[in-house]
Amino acid sequence: MLDRRQILAALGTTALATLAPSALLAAASIKPDDASALLVIDVQNCFLPGGSLAVKEGEQVVPVINKMAKSFANVVMTQDWHTPGHVSFASTHSGKKPFETVDLAYGKQVLWPDHCVQGTDGAALSKDLSIPHAELIIRKGFHKDVDSYSAFLEADGKTSTGLAGYLKGRKIKRVFVAGLATDFCVAWTALDARKAGFEVYVVEDACRGIDTQGSLAKAWADMAKAGVKRIQSADIAASA
Ligand code: VGL
Ligand code: ZN
């Protein structure tokens, strides 16, 4: 006969045995495979503290991305890479200030402080990134008269960066997007990745936003509508 204490002890063991594995699974249920790539967007000095277009808490994404990158066999990084006098700079348009907008041939353009000018220290990737196995760095926004938030398609909506072709050539089916800024380069990259036919995850705690004129809420709404999955870095299984 089991006494009361033995029954309680057995129940306790059963409860632990049944609960613990599912709790662990829920904590890290996504395992990146060879058909998965991590896209690290614009983790550049200009977007970090002290930079000309510093994103609030931008530096906090770096350790999260470094850790997560270890779970990926495939990592691609991007670099915003503008000409001097780029069309996206407020300083290029007389009488305009940063965060105002202008209407260009391809649509509405938010104007920014000068940032990520080709070859400058501000355009360099953060020295705190530690992803030696990253296999491609793609530069974007290098045409003087066209911006490119997206890593796939310039803001004219038709000029390709070549990234979709690269990823498809490498048989990548799933992309995980992280970096700066959530509401611009991360969101536009995620939306274009969906349009190009990829399964897309945005890792929320590995991103930070600029949030101008409601841009952050709009970006998340647009991404949800497009079928982008919003996850946390803890949802990704750590490397073995
Ligand atoms: C970005 C504004 C201007 C970004 C780039 O990386 O999100 N935002 N250029
Ligand atoms: Zn830019």
Side-chain angles (χ1 to χ4, degrees):
M1 264 265 284
L2 294 170
D3 67 18
R4 190 180 131 85
R5 218 190 59 202
Q6 285 169 312
I7 291 169
L8 282 177
L11 274 176
T13 315
T14 315
L16 259 185
T18 52
L19 277 179
S22 61
L24 285 174
L25 270 180
S29 55
I30 303 169
K31 287 201 191 349
D33 60 8
D34 286 346
S36 306
L38 176 64
L39 308 183
V40 179
I41 306 299
D42 297 4
V43 183
Q44 294 166 266
N45 295 331
C46 273
F47 300 121
L48 293 167
S52 59
L53 181 43
V55 179
K56 192 163 171 258
E57 301 179 349
E59 77 286 1
Q60 293 184 18
V61 306
V62 175
V64 180
I65 290 172
N66 285 343
K67 182 168 178 221
M68 189 169 53
K70 295 191 206 298
S71 300
F72 286 84
N74 303 296
V75 181
V76 171
M77 309 209 259
T78 68
Q79 243 179 334
D80 211 35
W81 199 249
H82 299 310
T83 60
H86 192 258
V87 72
S88 73
F89 297 170
S91 63
T92 302
H93 306 264
S94 63
K96 289 288 188 181
K97 291 199 276 298
F99 305 101
E100 293 180 353
T101 58
V102 280
D103 291 309
L104 299 178
Y106 58 76
K108 201 179 276 299
Q109 171 71 51
V110 181
L111 296 174
W112 305 106
D114 290 22
H115 64 280
C116 298
V117 173
Q118 297 168 2
T120 62
D121 186 55
L125 293 170
S126 166
K127 64 169 179 21
D128 297 324
L129 278 174
S130 179
I131 317 178
H133 63 293
E135 56 205 25
L136 174 71
I137 298 172
I138 191 149
R139 290 172 169 170
K140 61 186 180 61
F142 51 76
H143 290 127
K144 194 169 194 277
D145 298 319
V146 189
D147 205 0
S148 189
Y149 297 142
S150 164
F152 290 92
L153 215 54
E154 297 190 7
D156 62 4
K158 55 182 188 229
T159 307
S160 169
T161 65
L163 181 57
Y166 172 83
L167 293 173
K168 285 177 185 177
R170 303 270 343 278
K171 308 244 187 299
I172 300 295
K173 304 243 176 312
R174 273 170 291 288
V175 297
F176 293 73
V177 192
L180 305 169
T182 319
D183 37 351
F184 289 92
C185 293
V186 168
W188 288 50
T189 295
L191 292 169
D192 281 347
R194 287 293 297 144
K195 285 187 199 139
F198 296 97
E199 191 181 323
V200 183
Y201 299 80
V202 169
V203 189
E204 184 172 13
D205 60 320
C207 302
R208 288 295 185 280
I210 294 173
D211 203 11
T212 173
Q213 298 165 36
S215 56
L216 191 56
K218 183 179 185 307
W220 281 119
D222 290 348
M223 289 192 281
K225 203 168 143 199
V228 172
K229 293 172 189 145
R230 181 175 182 168
I231 62 167
Q232 307 301 317
S233 60
D235 297 331
I236 298 172
S239 58

